[in-house]
Structure formats: C-alpha cells, structure tokens
Amino acid sequence: MDTAGFLATPEPTAEAQRLFDDDVAELGYVMNNSRLWAYQPETLSGLFELLRTANAGDRLSLRQRGILVTACASAFGDSYCALAWGGKLAGLSEPETAAGVLTGSDAGLSPEERAMAGWARKVARDPNGTTEEDVQALRDAGFSDPQIFTMTVFVALRLAFSTVNDALGARPDQALHASTPAAVRDAVTFGRPVAS
C-alpha cells in the first residue's frame, strides 16, 4: 500500500495536485508532508494564510521566522521542520548559526534573536510554564507587546502544523536531508528519521 506517513495515500484531487505542482516548481520533488496534507489541502492553505495574516502587522523578517521555527522545532522534537527551517536559517546566516539554534547554544545570534529563540522554546515545551518575567525579558530585548503577540501566534501555528505531520508519521525527505548543510544535519538528533 502506498502511504502518506501512517495513512494510505489519499485519492488525487485538483487541489492536491496544485500542492504537488507547487512543491515540484519550488523544490524539484513532492514533499512527504505535502502527500499527507493532500487529505485537506484547503486546510493547509488556510493555515499558511493564517500565518501570513498573523505576520501582517508586526512583520517578522525571514531570518526572525527562521529562528522562531528552528528553535521551536528543535524544542518540540520535530526533525522535519528542524531540517527544513534549519537549512533556510543556514542560508540566511551560516550553517553553524543554524546548528547553534538547533542545539540551544544560540551561537551567532544577537541578544534580541537569543531572546526570540528562548521564547519559542518555552512556548513549544511548556506554554503553561511561561511567566511574566519571560515576557518582560522579551520587552527588555526591545520587543513591543504587539511583536511578542505576533511571535507567540506564529510559533503556536507552526506547532499546529508540526503536530499533524509528526502525529501522522511524516518523515523528512531524502532530498531535503541531502540538501541541508552538514552542520544542520548533525544537529538534528531528534524526531522521526529521514525517509528511506
């Protein structure tokens, strides 16, 4: 049986084919998580539109989003997003910087970026364990309350995406793994193994 994670491959639809075509146009292959989300491509589009909406006011730069997702994915134990966004962050900085975010050392980040990474990890690991002092640390790093809200919503929505992928067995793609810098690959020692 052909599978998408732990589920059988869904029946093809025009919406799913658009999802696959977008992957091929951007990456040259169809991602394993796209095969899984082919069950509800409209939901995936809605989730990503929600992410865009959340980021519309207090714009997070691509580097900031890379830091948030990479830190969140590593704290959550999501190898797929850690490789994907760790690779993106490596391209926006250096592979060693991305590896530092994945391992929690945050080497190569500014003080503001370290505060963001720390917040993303706290939200991913234990949102009920955050404190007013944690939020104050973000303010002290220069972030406004609207920016803190945006970061938090962004991380929470990324966690929703990762939860579906991880719970239903989506494994990182071989092509993704191969195209990710070695320092990033070496730092991802958690989560589901790369698809064979």
Side-chain angles (χ1 to χ4, degrees):
M1 172 172 72
D2 194 19
T3 62
F6 298 146
L7 305 179
T9 301
E11 292 297 318
T13 64
E15 294 82 10
Q17 189 59 53
R18 277 193 290 278
L19 184 63
F20 300 160
D21 291 345
D22 288 347
D23 279 1
V24 171
E26 182 181 345
L27 305 167
Y29 64 93
V30 176
M31 296 181 75
N32 290 332
N33 63 12
S34 294
R35 294 179 199 288
L36 182 62
W37 282 93
Y39 274 100
Q40 292 189 18
E42 302 86 358
T43 301
L44 179 64
S45 296
L47 177 60
F48 286 158
E49 182 57 34
L50 196 53
L51 279 160
R52 283 188 288 279
T53 300
N55 192 37
D58 300 292
R59 303 283 301 165
L60 298 166
S61 70
L62 184 57
R63 179 179 166 104
Q64 288 174 319
R65 285 179 281 153
I67 291 165
L68 290 170
V69 177
T70 302
C72 168
S74 64
F76 190 64
D78 178 6
S79 58
Y80 208 141
C81 287
L83 287 168
W85 278 88
K88 287 180 186 181
L89 183 56
L92 296 166
S93 57
E94 295 177 359
E96 294 73 24
T97 299
V101 174
L102 288 163
T103 61
S105 75
D106 295 336
L109 297 184
S110 70
E112 296 82 10
E113 292 170 336
R114 283 198 286 288
M116 291 179 75
W119 178 249
R121 290 185 193 103
K122 288 177 183 182
V123 172
R125 287 185 183 131
D126 184 10
N128 285 303
T130 61
T131 65
E132 288 185 47
E133 290 78 16
D134 294 327
V135 172
Q136 188 58 50
L138 288 167
R139 289 184 187 120
D140 294 344
F143 296 107
S144 67
D145 284 10
Q147 290 171 317
I148 294 167
F149 188 84
T150 296
M151 283 188 271
T152 307
V153 171
F154 185 80
V155 169
L157 293 173
R158 290 300 310 191
L159 284 168
F161 177 69
S162 291
T163 298
V164 172
N165 293 336
D166 292 346
L168 294 176
R171 292 170 54 185
D173 309 282
Q174 280 279 346
L176 171 64
H177 186 261
S179 67
T180 302
V184 172
R185 288 194 312 261
D186 292 346
V188 180
T189 58
F190 48 81
R192 297 202 180 276
V194 174
S196 53

